[in-house]
Amino acid sequence: MKTASRSLFALLLSTSFAYPVIANDNRPVTMDDIKALEAQLAELKRRFTAQHPEPEKPADTRQPTAKAATKPAIKVAEKPVTHKVDVYATMRPTYGRIEDKGEDTYDVRDALSHAGIKATHRFNDDWAAELHGEWSIDIQNTGEFGRSRRAYTALVTPVGRFGIGKQRPAQYLFIAEYVDIFNHANSPYAYDNESLFFVDNLLSYRLDSGPITFVAVAQYDGANNENYADLFNAGVSYDKDGLHAAITYQMNDVYDQQVRQGENAIWAGSLAYDFTDRFYAALAYQDKTYERNNIADRDGSTLDLSFAYKLTKFYKLKAGFFDFDDGYSDNDPANQSYDGYNVTLEWMPTPPLRVHLEYLTKSYTNDQDFDSLSVGFRYDFKTSINY
């Protein structure tokens, strides 16, 4: 390559001497002179190329380099969560003015404060064990731990969940829970009077199948009432796309000093729906038959309606209407039937905290009315540990 360059330089040098006219002529250089020089240079390049052809490049016999195989990312298997422990508490003190039976009082009360722990151990894809204990906190009095609310162990299997101990019955889970949205110890106000919240000495069975849930419970308390089954309660619910619909049946024996007086039978139904992300409505109805051995039977009922509307991000308005009928005639002195309504305004400055203002009134058939105006706090705490 260096020899070819030297030859081209020599050729150009000799040519420059062969055409001195442009360099030594005193006349001005014209465009014709420039074009003539360009033609000479092109001719010289052609002659040089003809005399010194470029050697052919040797064929590239190298094999193409294979791309490095991309190693798949090694997935580190996550350790399955086999143990979970939930620790929680909710404190719900209230202060208000209460007018009951014509007497006014101001009192600090409690809207069912409680604390609990729930442990779950999943030892197979379809098997798990549960332990659950929950106790009330008696803010209304001394502030100490009060009676138990839940105390049971359950086994989750491929064919359903089985539990033994103090638990929620189907009657509350399917009927009352959806109207129980207020910050008050007696909510739902009609359901509360004679219906179930927690039941001790309970055997429970639950089966979930898509939107359908079936729950059956039975109470066995032979030591107190010398009976094989003191209570039976079963129900089925449908829950999907913000809609809840359920029906339940309850039968429980009634005793007085271990002497069986008869039984209560309840058919109940509930409906609840989230119309929008701001508006919620729910209805719960119970038809109750009081069957007695030595006195006439009677029929009663409970009706609870609950509504909630989110005014803003931090404020929610709730309202309820309720009617309790104990089955006695209006002129019977034993009649304790009532109806009424309540209105609640909630402020939620942060998710764990609610501040509420509530007005509640009850109108009794054979007694003086009940009115209360209260303000209260509700602070919820929960933490979970997985291992």
Side-chain angles (χ1 to χ4, degrees), residues 329-384:
S329 61
D330 290 349
N331 57 3
D332 193 320
N335 185 299
Q336 291 295 311
S337 300
Y338 59 82
D339 58 30
Y341 65 91
N342 66 297
V343 179
T344 303
L345 178 64
E346 280 187 350
W347 174 47
M348 298 163 288
T350 182
L353 176 65
R354 303 182 202 178
V355 181
H356 76 269
L357 177 67
E358 180 189 75
Y359 174 71
L360 167 66
T361 181
K362 294 181 181 180
S363 178
Y364 287 87
T365 301
N366 288 330
D367 208 340
Q368 295 184 355
D369 294 347
F370 172 93
D371 291 281
S372 72
L373 180 65
S374 62
V375 61
F377 304 139
R378 173 174 171 172
Y379 186 88
D380 298 325
F381 166 80
K382 181 179 179 180
T383 185
S384 298

Side-chain angles (χ1 to χ4, degrees), residues 67-380:
K67 291 184 179 180
T70 303
K71 295 183 179 180
I74 300 176
K75 294 184 178 181
V76 179
E78 295 183 1
K79 183 180 178 181
V81 175
T82 58
H83 294 80
K84 181 180 179 182
V85 178
D86 295 325
V87 180
Y88 60 91
T90 176
M91 301 292 283
R92 307 175 183 183
T94 65
Y95 171 72
R97 173 187 174 276
I98 301 166
E99 182 181 349
D100 190 13
K101 300 184 186 305
E103 182 178 345
D104 289 347
T105 59
Y106 291 85
D107 198 7
V108 171
R109 294 194 172 186
D110 175 58
L112 302 177
S113 300
H114 59 270
I117 181 171
K118 182 178 181 181
T120 304
H121 176 205
R122 183 165 296 281
F123 54 90
N124 197 290
D125 290 342
D126 300 317
W127 292 79
E130 293 180 7
L131 171 154
H132 198 173
E134 182 179 294
W135 300 268
S136 64
I137 302 174
D138 192 11
I139 294 180
Q140 185 172 339
N141 293 300
T142 60
E144 298 176 353
F145 268 25
R147 66 186 184 280
S148 67
R149 291 162 54 93
R150 288 184 176 96
Y152 70 87
T153 297
L155 179 66
V156 180
T157 77
V159 294
R161 174 186 175 278
F162 301 86
I164 302 176
K166 190 169 187 176
Q167 305 164 70
R168 292 279 200 192
Q171 201 73 6
Y172 181 83
L173 294 174
F174 290 163
I175 304 301
E177 184 172 19
Y178 293 86
V179 290
D180 191 10
I181 65 174
F182 303 105
N183 305 289
H184 201 283
N186 301 115
S187 171
Y189 299 106
Y191 175 95
D192 169 79
N193 202 63
E194 292 185 352
S195 305
L196 303 175
F197 286 89
F198 299 97
V199 181
D200 53 19
N201 300 283
L202 200 68
L203 269 65
S204 69
Y205 172 73
R206 177 178 181 132
L207 179 64
D208 294 282
S209 179
I212 306 296
T213 303
F214 172 77
V215 171
V217 302
Q219 183 185 43
Y220 295 88
D221 193 8
N224 287 331
N225 296 321
E226 299 178 358
N227 194 46
Y228 291 107
D230 304 302
L231 178 145
F232 174 76
N233 182 209
V236 62
S237 74
Y238 175 87
D239 296 271
K240 188 175 182 180
D241 298 331
L243 172 66
H244 165 80
I247 186 171
T248 63
Y249 173 74
Q250 175 193 326
M251 188 282 295
N252 63 282
D253 294 321
V254 179
Y255 284 83
D256 182 13
Q257 300 297 323
Q258 296 192 357
V259 177
R260 188 177 186 275
Q261 302 296 314
E263 68 180 30
N264 296 331
I266 301 176
W267 284 98
S270 64
L271 282 172
Y273 189 61
D274 287 300
F275 289 90
T276 68
D277 58 352
R278 301 180 67 176
F279 179 60
Y280 169 83
L283 175 151
Y285 178 78
Q286 298 181 118
D287 182 79
K288 186 170 185 177
T289 300
Y290 303 81
E291 297 181 1
R292 297 297 181 262
N293 297 332
N294 301 320
I295 58 176
D297 298 341
R298 68 184 196 274
D299 294 317
S301 64
T302 71
L303 173 66
D304 285 282
L305 293 168
S306 296
F307 306 92
Y309 184 76
K310 192 173 184 180
L311 299 172
T312 68
K313 180 180 179 181
F314 301 107
Y315 289 93
K316 183 178 289 187
L317 182 66
K318 297 179 178 180
F321 171 79
F322 49 88
D323 183 276
F324 169 68
D325 180 4
D326 61 9
Y328 289 103
S329 61
D330 290 349
N331 57 3
D332 193 320
N335 185 299
Q336 291 295 311
S337 300
Y338 59 82
D339 58 30
Y341 65 91
N342 66 297
V343 179
T344 303
L345 178 64
E346 280 187 350
W347 174 47
M348 298 163 288
T350 182
L353 176 65
R354 303 182 202 178
V355 181
H356 76 269
L357 177 67
E358 180 189 75
Y359 174 71
L360 167 66
T361 181
K362 294 181 181 180
S363 178
Y364 287 87
T365 301
N366 288 330
D367 208 340
Q368 295 184 355
D369 294 347
F370 172 93
D371 291 281
S372 72
L373 180 65
S374 62
V375 61
F377 304 139
R378 173 174 171 172
Y379 186 88
D380 298 325

Side-chain angles (χ1 to χ4, degrees), residues 13-75:
L13 184 62
S14 62
T15 306
S16 64
F17 285 106
Y19 298 93
V21 61
I22 297 176
N24 296 326
D25 197 350
N26 291 327
R27 65 181 178 81
V29 178
T30 65
M31 288 299 299
D32 292 338
D33 296 331
I34 295 174
K35 291 180 179 180
L37 182 59
E38 290 177 347
Q40 294 173 12
L41 292 174
E43 176 62 19
L44 289 174
K45 183 177 181 180
R46 184 191 65 77
R47 289 167 55 189
F48 177 80
T49 301
Q51 295 175 10
H52 302 86
E54 291 186 7
E56 294 184 1
K57 292 183 178 181
D60 190 355
T61 59
R62 294 177 300 173
Q63 295 293 329
T65 303
K67 291 184 179 180
T70 303
K71 295 183 179 180
I74 300 176
K75 294 184 178 181

